Amino acid sequence: MNKNMKILIVDDFSTMRRIIKNLLRDLGFTNTQEADDGNTALPMLQSGNFDFLVTDWNMPGMTGIDLLKAVRADPNLVKLPVLMVTAESKREQIIEAAQAGVNGYVVKPFTAVTLEEKISKIFERVEG
Amino acid sequence: MAVDERLALAKELVVQLEAGNEQEVQRITSELSSGNESELFQEVGRLTRELHEAINEFLLDPRINEMAQVEIPDASERLSYVITMTEKSANTTLSAVEAGLPLAEELGSRSTEIAGKWERFCRRELSVDDFRELSRELGGFLETAQRCSQQLNGHLTDVLMAQDFQDLTGQIIRQVITLVHDVEDKLVQLVRISGHKMPEKQKDMNKLEGPVIPGVDQGNTVSGQDDVDDLLSSLGF
């Protein structure tokens, strides 16, 4: 796994972005950027050469699920690994995210270990 | 109306019907049913009065006015303040942690460096010059350790103090819970007055539920990360 990969963190709460950013840094990923909803994130993804997207679901403006669908609909982003980190925990929602092409799903509240586990699992599959 | 009275009227009705006297027939028919009608009117009147009184009572209840004009807007303010306080606390804590992490890292990496040399010293592998250098480094390290631990102490105190919101937000939220209960009671009264059967509660399927809250039924939710993982692996993930 390339520790220099460029990661976009999308969450409407700045504190949650800071937490994820710090956890990622602790795991050795320092090349991170932030956006506060899908509308801000999508243009960044389209022009920014990102390797990985970590997104919340419930955000004003464009939600995480809509961002995921937009990413999968864009031929340049269709293969971008996406990890959803969200408090949404209805079974239908998890299935919806899976069908929309999410690569991993972490429910809040989560631990550093869970985040690391999901990220390494995603990249095992992507690279393997 | 007594039985014999009604019997007499009924007999008279038969006579008038046979005679084809339409006017009389109508008069007798309405006389026969008038007793029931007046009872019905009385009952409707009573219910109307009761409903009127109940509505008046409800409208005159000063609690309703107070809740609508003062307490609910107040509660919104209070809850916004809870968000402000918790956000401020989270930011203070995060800043302290972000400031503390490099200090811990510095202490760790410097001590690893020195530990290597120290081991060589214990094995008597250091030359006099190397030892001089080591003792200089040790001196520097001890200064660093003092500085870092002092700063770390400060940051940890910041984290500690940032938890003071809990007491205040707890009190505010408790006040709002009391208000919500009061409003609920009043709404139940209102429903009772209107006498309507409430339609079955229907949840908006597209509404995002947010975090799972123990004891609140939020539909078909997972109970944690393990559940999510099971669900996803059942989908072939």
Side-chain angles (χ1 to χ4, degrees):
Chain A
M1 200 184 332
N2 171 20
K3 295 270 178 180
N4 268 325
M5 67 175 162
K6 200 168 164 189
I7 305 174
L8 184 63
I9 304 163
V10 191
D11 199 306
D12 51 332
F13 278 89
S14 65
T15 46
M16 188 39 76
R17 293 200 301 270
R18 281 178 84 175
I19 290 171
I20 294 176
K21 193 178 158 173
N22 275 299
L23 287 173
L24 287 173
R25 191 170 55 205
D26 205 37
L27 297 173
F29 303 102
T30 50
N31 193 3
T32 53
Q33 286 192 30
E34 301 174 29
D36 61 4
D37 83 326
N39 287 327
T40 341
L42 194 57
M44 289 173 80
L45 290 167
Q46 281 163 340
S47 61
N49 263 333
F50 282 92
D51 302 299
F52 186 34
L53 168 64
V54 180
T55 182
D56 184 22
W57 183 314
N58 189 4
M59 295 177 286
M62 189 195 253
T63 62
I65 190 73
D66 288 339
L67 176 63
L68 172 64
K69 287 173 183 167
V71 161
R72 290 293 174 254
D74 185 322
N76 293 319
L77 299 173
V78 69
K79 292 208 160 143
L80 178 75
V82 180
L83 175 66
M84 204 148 223
V85 180
T86 173
E88 301 303 326
S89 38
K90 275 199 283 192
R91 285 173 188 280
E92 298 84 16
Q93 289 177 305
I94 299 166
I95 294 168
E96 186 185 353
Q99 284 167 347
V102 84
N103 300 82
Y105 199 103
V106 172
V107 282
K108 294 177 191 170
F110 62 97
T111 64
V113 178
T114 308
L115 188 69
E116 180 175 19
E117 205 180 279
K118 299 307 160 206
I119 292 176
S120 38
K121 219 170 147 192
I122 287 173
F123 284 94
E124 258 169 45
R125 263 196 314 257
V126 168
E127 286 160 7
Chain B
M1 201 186 295
V3 178
D4 49 351
E5 262 180 276
R6 276 187 288 165
L7 192 62
L9 275 171
K11 282 179 180 161
E12 180 65 20
L13 180 62
V14 174
V15 171
Q16 295 300 340
L17 273 172
E18 279 170 352
N21 195 344
E22 199 52 42
Q23 242 180 345
E24 272 303 289
V25 168
Q26 272 190 9
R27 187 190 61 77
I28 297 168
T29 318
S30 73
E31 199 175 325
L32 266 171
S33 60
S34 70
N36 291 339
E37 271 173 24
S38 76
E39 265 172 50
L40 181 68
F41 284 138
Q42 267 173 23
E43 184 63 10
V44 170
R46 190 180 62 79
L47 285 173
T48 311
R49 205 164 45 245
E50 272 181 19
L51 179 64
H52 184 73
E53 274 165 19
I55 291 173
N56 268 345
E57 216 170 277
F58 190 80
L59 292 176
L60 288 174
D61 187 342
R63 274 294 288 142
I64 307 263
N65 225 331
E66 207 179 309
M67 283 194 289
Q69 308 249 336
V70 184
E71 291 184 31
I72 289 177
D74 254 17
S76 306
E77 282 292 310
R78 284 166 206 260
L79 289 180
S80 301
Y81 186 50
V82 167
I83 295 181
T84 311
M85 274 201 280
T86 49
E87 191 184 345
K88 187 169 150 260
S89 160
N91 277 319
T92 309
T93 306
L94 284 165
S95 295
V97 170
E98 282 170 1
L101 283 174
L103 297 172
E105 265 162 40
E106 189 182 345
L107 279 175
S109 64
R110 295 273 312 260
S111 51
T112 313
E113 253 172 59
I114 290 174
K117 288 183 186 161
W118 182 252
E119 260 176 49
R120 283 177 58 210
F121 167 73
C122 289
R123 289 198 303 266
R124 295 169 190 280
E125 289 170 8
L126 283 192
S127 68
V128 178
D129 283 348
D130 284 346
F131 178 71
R132 261 196 213 112
E133 202 196 316
L134 172 63
S135 64
R136 208 178 47 246
E137 275 177 30
L138 264 174
F141 173 70
L142 290 177
E143 263 174 43
T144 308
Q146 271 171 352
R147 177 179 53 81
C148 287
S149 71
Q150 218 167 34
Q151 286 176 350
L152 273 174
N153 247 320
H155 295 314
L156 288 175
T157 309
D158 288 347
V159 171
L160 183 79
M161 294 314 293
Q163 312 311 310
D164 64 351
F165 73 92
Q166 176 63 43
D167 165 42
L168 304 171
T169 54
Q171 289 182 41
I172 292 174
I173 291 173
R174 210 164 285 137
Q175 288 168 347
V176 175
I177 291 174
T178 311
L179 173 63
V180 170
H181 276 305
D182 286 358
V183 172
E184 186 187 357
D185 285 348
K186 294 296 168 196
L187 283 178
V188 169
Q189 271 183 30
L190 188 61
V191 170
R192 209 172 282 147
I193 290 174
S194 75
H196 278 303
K197 229 183 146 202
M198 296 306 276
E200 280 289 303
K201 172 173 93 171
Q202 273 187 353
K203 280 208 169 177
D204 179 0
M205 287 306 288
N206 290 321
K207 197 181 128 228
L208 295 170
E209 285 283 347
V212 173
I213 299 151
V216 176
D217 178 22
Q218 289 163 296
N220 194 8
T221 54
V222 294
S223 63
Q225 189 63 41
D226 288 344
D227 237 13
V228 177
D229 294 348
D230 289 348
L231 179 60
L232 285 177
S233 72
S234 77
L235 294 168
F237 263 69

